[in-house]
Amino acid sequence: MVKIFITGGAGYVGSALVPRLLEKGYDVVVYDWYIYGNVLSSHPRLTEIKGDIRDREKLIQSVKGCDILIHLACISNDPSYELDPDLGKSINHDGFYNVLDAARENNVRRFIYASSSSVYGVKSEPNVIETASLEPLTDYSTFKAECERILQDAKTDMEWVIVRPATICGYAPRLRLDLSVNILTIHALIHKKIKIFGGDQLRPNINMNDMVRVYELLIEAPSEKINHQIFNAGYQNLSIQKIAELVKSVINDPSIQFEVTPTNDHRSYHINSDKVKKVLGFETKYTVEDAIRSLVDAYNHGLIVDGMNNPLYYNIKTMQKLI
Ligand SMILES: NC(=O)c1ccc[n+]([C@@H]2O[C@H](COP(=O)([O-])OP(=O)(O)OC[C@H]3O[C@@H](n4cnc5c(N)ncnc54)[C@H](O)[C@@H]3O)[C@@H](O)[C@H]2O)c1
């Protein structure tokens, strides 16, 4: 039985990934600080450990017996990071060494690192592939890039693979409403108004269901296909204006208005994800429209409570309370 250790497994991605891995028969250990509470349901093959990746000894003890480690734990957006850069660095950078050492000391077979497509910064070329130079613009992205380098330089026989996800969208039990598609959707649902700053800037997106499928592939692919590789994981590169139009058409409410505000922030991100398709045979199955639909369904079923104000949906609001 393969045992998978997931740092940050109670977060947005983890709350969708963990149930899927349990359903597939894996043993799963979640190691999380539970900043945003715990939405994971108990399961006979799930072990949950409340811990901080900065607690090196506890982490090393906890990884014992695990075959694969997925490192998701992170202060996972720019504003939350900037709230307390020392705390951010201690987790996103210094904590990475602990996770790496815990994997090595316990002879973990495969280390999967969740980096981010934000490591590229802003590029003018339309197809940003994995070999493009890294020009991160914020501390959050800088340390994502730095941890990639630490992993690449690590002296180890352990298999490792890096994934650079686009912005994820769609419903998950630990919901984040501070991500582009999700923000526009909740505003349209609650305020019947979508505020668009600029509108032409491109954003790369990936539906949560596809993101989970990418992690499944990274767990299951043979070593020769993934070892020492980096994969972008994105699907639709869409302008903010286009996302807003999709939100309006999925909700199908003509009263929804757009409020366009000019902006000086013309940062435009787009990534190419041909490699994950070519090497691992990954085909996306879910669209941004599907993600919007999943949020609308969740909202209509009362699964999103106080969507504009609930700190649990907004990393920055919870971090403000924590610090
Ligand atoms: N969500 C996205 O759109 C996206 C895009 C690109 C990359 N990523 C990366 O994927 C990973 C998961 O993202 P997410 O959206 O699920 O983030 P999230 O903020 O929802 O989850 C992060 C989890 O890490 C935990 N955590 C934070 N600090 C910790 C610590 N010191 N010790 C133990 N646990 C700690 C939190 O409690 C939380 O459960 C992150 O590394 C993120 O940078 C996410």
Side-chain angles (χ1 to χ4, degrees), residues 117 126-128 166 201-206 234-240 242-243 269-273 288:
S117 59
N127 273 317
V128 179
Q201 315 95 306
L202 286 179
R203 289 287 181 276
N205 303 281
I206 183 165
Y235 174 34
Q236 289 159 297
N237 290 298
L238 299 176
S239 68
I240 302 288
K242 178 71 186 164
I243 296 172
Y269 306 91
H270 35 92
I271 57 166
N272 173 300
S273 300
V288 167

Side-chain angles (χ1 to χ4, degrees), residues 121-183:
V122 176
K123 296 266 188 278
S124 51
E125 64 261 37
N127 273 317
V128 179
I129 59 171
E130 289 81 353
T131 48
S133 60
L134 304 191
E135 297 169 76
L137 294 167
T138 61
D139 282 349
Y140 163 77
S141 314
T142 299
F143 287 120
K144 282 283 180 198
E146 176 64 12
C147 292
E148 287 192 12
R149 195 193 54 72
I150 295 167
L151 185 57
Q152 286 166 323
D153 291 347
K155 302 227 175 327
T156 176
D157 293 333
M158 179 171 67
E159 298 167 3
W160 59 255
V161 57
I162 294 166
V163 60
R164 292 178 180 155
T167 303
I168 305 165
C169 53
Y171 182 75
R174 190 269 133 164
L175 187 55
R176 284 184 63 184
L177 293 173
D178 54 5
L179 299 163
S180 45
V181 170
N182 299 4
I183 296 176

Side-chain angles (χ1 to χ4, degrees), residues 1 38 41 74 122 132 151 176 242 264-265 275 282 285:
M1 186 63 71
N38 188 4
S41 305
C74 187
V122 176
L151 185 57
R176 284 184 63 184
K242 178 71 186 164
N264 291 330
D265 181 1
K275 180 176 171 185
F282 177 71
K285 278 196 188 166

Side-chain angles (χ1 to χ4, degrees), residues 12-13 32 35 52-53 72 76 140 144 168 174 176:
Y12 179 48
V13 173
D32 199 299
I35 299 176
D52 186 326
I53 59 167
L72 302 175
S76 48
Y140 163 77
K144 282 283 180 198
I168 305 165
R174 190 269 133 164
R176 284 184 63 184

